[in-house]
């Protein structure tokens, strides 16, 4: 998922915005001094320029080892997000972050194409939403429920 901006919010606090909202993971690659704790706060909305969490406190943490080319990717969780707030480093740039939409690889068995662009866009949004909620088991909301209403 392409990064569209990386904005400094304050000392050791950056906001990364992705092209669109998606369910998935991210990879962060940078030099992180040994013992430095970096927090990654995923979210779908902003409040006052910061990630707004409507559903509790969810964030990932990485502690640097002081080696060049360190890379961190969450291995036991995925998130629904379009923003990633990164706390703990003096410098963060867009090329340090990559986003990956993650969902089951189900075969598409039908399509819809109309002469009305609004319906086509709505259909694509519905397909994206179904894909975002199709990860191992169906979920209701990939940003907070991992065993939602279909479980």
């Amino acid at each position: 998922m392409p990064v569209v901006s990386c904005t400094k919010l304050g000392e050791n606090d950056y906001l990364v915005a992705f092209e669109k909202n998606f369910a998935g993971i991210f990879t962060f690659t940078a030099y992180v001094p040994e013992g430095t704790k970096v927090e990654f706060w995923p979210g779908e909305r902003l409040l006052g320029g910061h990630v707004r969490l409507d559903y509790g406190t969810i964030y990932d943490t990485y502690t640097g080892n002081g080696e060049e080319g360190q890379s961190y990717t969450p291995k036991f969780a995925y998130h629904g997000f379009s923003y990633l707030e990164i706390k703990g480093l003096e410098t963060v740039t867009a090329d340090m972050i990559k986003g990956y939409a993650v969902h089951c690889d189900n075969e598409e068995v039908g399509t819809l194409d109309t002469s009305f662009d609004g319906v086509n866009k709505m259909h694509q949004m519905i397909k994206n939403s179904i894909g975002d909620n199709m990860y191992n088991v169906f979920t209701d909301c990939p940003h907070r429920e991992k065993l939602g209403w279909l479980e």
Side-chain angles (χ1 to χ4, degrees):
M1 190 63 49
V3 171
V4 294
S5 67
C6 181
T7 308
K8 185 171 185 165
L9 300 177
E11 187 176 343
N12 300 338
D13 192 4
Y14 289 81
L15 181 69
V16 175
F18 292 92
E19 183 177 61
K20 66 177 185 172
N21 190 41
F22 65 102
I25 58 174
F26 61 89
T27 295
F28 178 76
T29 304
Y31 170 76
V32 180
E34 185 174 358
T36 299
K37 183 174 117 177
V38 183
E39 294 178 355
F40 303 92
W41 294 72
E44 295 181 310
R45 299 191 308 162
L46 300 176
L47 179 64
H50 294 270
V51 167
R52 175 180 175 166
L53 299 174
D54 297 324
Y55 42 83
T57 304
I58 296 175
Y59 63 94
D60 300 314
T61 303
Y62 174 75
T63 303
N65 62 15
E67 296 176 7
E68 288 294 329
Q70 299 168 64
S71 187
Y72 170 74
T73 303
K75 299 209 179 357
F76 302 106
Y78 69 99
H79 305 287
F81 61 109
S82 52
Y83 302 100
L84 187 64
E85 192 164 340
I86 302 173
K87 302 177 182 186
L89 289 176
E90 290 181 22
T91 303
V92 174
T93 59
D95 62 331
M96 295 176 175
I97 288 282
K98 293 192 181 342
Y100 302 95
V102 179
H103 54 80
C104 293
D105 185 20
N106 291 326
E107 181 180 342
E108 190 172 307
V109 295
T111 61
L112 174 71
D113 187 29
T114 74
S115 60
F116 185 54
D117 195 44
V119 170
N120 294 335
K121 287 180 180 179
M122 183 172 58
H123 177 66
Q124 186 59 48
M125 288 188 316
I126 291 168
K127 283 176 51 178
N128 291 345
S129 182
I130 290 169
D132 285 347
N133 286 291
M134 198 178 296
Y135 184 87
N136 190 12
V137 296
F138 279 106
T139 62
D140 185 21
C141 303
H143 61 285
R144 62 186 169 90
E145 293 182 1
K146 300 300 186 250
L147 294 171
W149 61 278
L150 289 174
E151 195 58 28

